[in-house]
Amino acid sequence: PAFVNPESGNFEGARAALEQTGSFIIQEVPPDQLSARIEKAVSDGVKRLLIAGGDGSIRTAVEAVARKDVELGVLPSGTLNHFAKDHGLPLDLNEAATLAASASAAPTDVGRVGEHLFHGTSSIGAYVVFMRTRDKLEPTFGYKISSFLAGIWTFFRMPVIAVELDIEGTKKIYRTTH
């Protein structure tokens, strides 16, 4: 199965690329139903599935298949596609779909923040403030101006946060700076 987020940045392109390979049963699944649908497929015995969406959709799929005997193919069809870039996956949807249909899987590292798994990166502090501010401004000012304004706002409201890392039983606490 290929779980496709119809709200992802390039939904139509992802769907077309998957149809072209002829290797997937395409299921359009909104983000709020994605976890349950993937978990159901895994409990039904699926050994390989594909997620088409952005980094949020991929994170949801990673959480659903982590520590299970299931391979996860990724078709990067979001806005920024950090996971695909970090893992050397092609950003061209046709190339990525062909690769997902034919390639063997390789393990990837994940981490945990609270109860949530993450892949690649997890953000706290200034970046989160920046993103939330930009997202609020973007409908009014567009992406570039909103990014600029959010950057200025974040600089002057830089949060200070304590972060506790637990790596294989060794705990360390770090504080962000002003």
Side-chain angles (χ1 to χ4, degrees):
F3 297 93
V4 183
N5 177 356
E7 298 174 23
S8 67
N10 195 355
F11 161 69
E12 294 296 334
R15 185 169 186 56
L18 291 168
E19 286 173 347
Q20 184 176 327
T21 69
S23 299
F24 299 97
I25 299 167
I26 300 169
Q27 300 179 33
E28 295 179 22
V29 182
D32 63 337
Q33 297 173 22
L34 189 57
S35 181
R37 295 277 296 274
I38 292 173
E39 288 172 8
K40 169 104 173 71
V42 170
S43 70
D44 288 348
V46 166
K47 293 296 181 189
R48 186 163 208 223
L49 58 91
L50 180 133
I51 182 70
D55 293 315
S57 298
I58 295 168
R59 183 197 57 79
T60 299
V62 166
E63 282 188 330
V65 303
R67 297 184 186 253
K68 303 205 173 57
D69 188 24
V70 176
E71 294 179 354
L72 177 64
V74 173
L75 185 67
S77 57
T79 304
L80 299 176
N81 298 315
H82 290 296
F83 181 89
K85 291 173 186 173
D86 291 347
H87 290 82
L89 298 175
L91 296 179
D92 177 85
L93 293 173
N94 290 324
E95 286 180 44
T98 300
L99 178 67
S102 62
S104 61
T108 186
D109 291 330
V110 297
R112 184 176 298 282
V113 173
E115 296 300 314
H116 297 284
L117 289 180
F118 67 91
H119 57 79
T121 61
S122 180
S123 299
I124 61 169
Y127 184 70
V128 174
V129 170
F130 168 81
M131 294 296 294
R132 288 180 181 160
T133 304
R134 187 190 70 199
D135 288 348
K136 286 179 188 174
L137 297 173
E138 192 170 353
T140 304
F141 298 106
Y143 180 81
K144 289 182 180 180
I145 292 173
S146 297
S147 296
F148 176 74
L149 294 173
I152 292 170
W153 175 260
T154 303
F155 179 78
F156 288 107
R157 295 195 41 148
M158 195 83 64
V160 177
I161 297 173
V163 178
E164 179 181 321
L165 295 179
D166 182 343
I167 301 173
E168 297 179 353
T170 302
K171 292 184 181 184
K172 290 187 178 185
I173 297 176
Y174 298 92
R175 290 198 179 278
T176 63
T177 59
H178 283 279

